[in-house]
Amino acid sequence: MDIKQLIYLCNLERERHFGRAAEASFVSQPTLSMRLKNLEKELGVSLINRGNNFGGFTAEGERVLAWAREIVSVYQGLKLEVESLKHGLNGTLRLGVVPQCSISLAEMLKAVSERYPHLDYRVAVLSADQLLEALTAHTVDIGIGFFELTTLKELHFQSQPLTETGVELVFHPQHFPKLVGDTPLPLEAVAALPLCLAEPTRYFRRYLDQYFREAGLTLHPRLETTSIFQLLEGIFVGLGCGLFPHGNLLPEMTPALHRRPIAIAAMSRHAAVVVDVPERATPLAQKFFDAASEWLRKQNAHPGA
């Protein structure tokens, strides 16, 4: 058994396809298949359900895969630590992000990059449930999303809360002049508007739908999409108004758009930056988490700074 076989196994889990797993592993498909068969022969168990296509993992394969994730994560952490000792902190950090948290991700990355200028970032947009799975499977290093606090404690994750400062309606005053103002907008007024919203499976959207439903109101989504860019385009041309957590959007990027607070209660889940326990977090992930946490605490101490 060697580390490459375990990496191939983890790539097969991620890709769910022999050809794509081989491409991700930078080997030919016959080579990947042969190395995995050798691993099965050495362990004396069948790991993969094979047919004309990849058919998932056997029960034994799932257990081996759990160990493989841990070993590959430690191996990658070791490589990064050695590189950091030689050249300073550098490498690519894998971020899993749930859309529409109460923070500008780019602003946080820029702040961390000022301390660690050689860090690069690969961002995957996930649902809240997918993010937790990715963290436990070590397919992302850092999670930024919505979590149940009890779950984080049970799994012993490190977490830095994101301050929630409410929800705001985002609109173009040229198309919705009557909405201009500073006072909180009542739910009835929001429900009467055409809206540009994230698609219904996203956590922030589910929170909105449930809250309005419990108030006896129904939202009117004129545009639904997974793309924040498409939402902003729809808002800009007057297709509808948008609902966002305060702090999610950089006002400087959308100077033509106005914002107005909404009278709405906080979410049941808590927004946070999350990383594994120090013993299992990679050096890259731990350094990022510490720097991001420090920046967030400063932001909370000096809002608007």
Side-chain angles (χ1 to χ4, degrees):
M1 184 191 307
D2 62 45
I3 191 66
K4 285 187 177 180
Q5 290 170 306
L6 301 181
I7 291 173
Y8 297 163
L9 197 67
C10 291
N11 286 342
L12 182 59
E13 180 200 21
R14 186 180 70 246
E15 300 296 338
R16 315 299 292 183
H17 185 275
F18 285 105
R20 292 194 298 271
E23 289 179 9
S25 305
F26 303 102
V27 296
S28 67
Q29 184 171 333
T31 296
L32 179 128
S33 296
M34 178 191 68
R35 295 301 305 279
L36 291 179
K37 285 179 180 177
N38 288 344
L39 178 62
E40 290 176 313
K41 184 177 179 181
E42 182 179 345
L43 295 174
V45 293
S46 176
L47 304 176
I48 302 162
N49 293 316
R50 290 180 174 84
N52 293 331
N53 299 300
F54 172 71
F57 294 95
T58 63
E60 294 84 358
E62 292 288 354
R63 294 298 304 143
V64 172
L65 188 59
W67 281 99
R69 292 192 207 105
E70 292 280 351
I71 294 168
V72 170
S73 177
V74 170
Y75 169 72
Q76 291 172 339
L78 172 62
K79 286 177 62 180
L80 289 170
E81 185 154 9
V82 170
E83 286 299 310
S84 298
L85 290 171
K86 292 191 296 185
H87 308 295
L89 197 70
N90 68 89
T92 300
L93 196 68
R94 303 168 301 169
L95 296 152
V97 176
V98 174
Q100 294 186 300
C101 282
S102 54
I103 189 176
S104 164
L105 174 62
E107 199 170 30
M108 183 170 68
L109 297 185
K110 180 64 168 62
V112 175
S113 293
E114 289 174 0
R115 179 177 297 185
Y116 302 117
H118 301 297
L119 274 185
D120 299 320
Y121 306 98
R122 183 182 301 127
V123 179
V125 178
L126 305 170
S127 71
D129 294 333
Q130 286 173 334
L131 178 56
L132 195 59
E133 291 175 5
L135 282 164
T136 54
H138 306 291
T139 56
V140 299
D141 304 303
I142 297 284
I144 303 170
F146 301 100
F147 302 91
E148 298 281 358
L149 291 182
T150 53
T151 301
L152 293 180
K153 289 178 181 177
E154 288 170 2
L155 296 172
H156 306 292
F157 284 120
Q158 302 174 78
S159 65
Q160 176 62 43
L162 303 179
T163 301
E164 293 182 32
T165 52
V167 175
E168 57 189 12
L169 186 81
V170 180
F171 62 96
H172 199 305
Q174 178 182 331
H175 305 294
F176 297 93
K178 293 182 179 179
L179 294 177
V180 175
D182 298 320
T183 57
L185 201 63
L187 298 183
E188 293 80 5
V190 177
L193 295 168
L195 296 170
C196 300
L197 299 174
E199 51 93 22
T201 63
R202 297 299 188 191
Y203 175 75
F204 182 69
R205 171 65 188 281
R206 298 203 316 265
Y207 150 73
L208 292 173
D209 285 342
Q210 180 179 348
Y211 192 87
F212 276 81
R213 186 165 54 248
E214 289 174 354
L217 300 168
T218 304
L219 294 175
H220 172 205
R222 178 166 287 171
L223 170 66
E224 294 178 317
T225 175
T226 59
S227 167
I228 300 297
F229 176 75
Q230 293 295 338
L231 289 179
L232 290 174
E233 276 201 327
I235 295 166
F236 183 80
V237 302
L239 194 60
C241 306
L243 291 170
F244 292 85
H246 179 72
N248 180 235
L249 301 175
L250 292 174
E252 298 84 356
M253 287 188 64
T254 54
L257 303 182
H258 283 211
R259 291 156 174 75
R260 188 160 174 188
I262 302 299
I264 190 169
M267 299 175 231
S268 59
R269 290 190 182 185
H270 297 265
V273 178
V274 171
V275 69
D276 213 335
V277 291
E279 308 87 70
R280 291 203 301 263
T282 66
L284 221 61
Q286 189 64 54
K287 293 287 187 184
F288 176 92
F289 178 78
D290 293 341
S293 297
E294 181 181 336
W295 178 76
L296 287 167
R297 288 191 292 269
K298 288 179 179 178
Q299 293 295 107
N300 295 339
H302 306 284

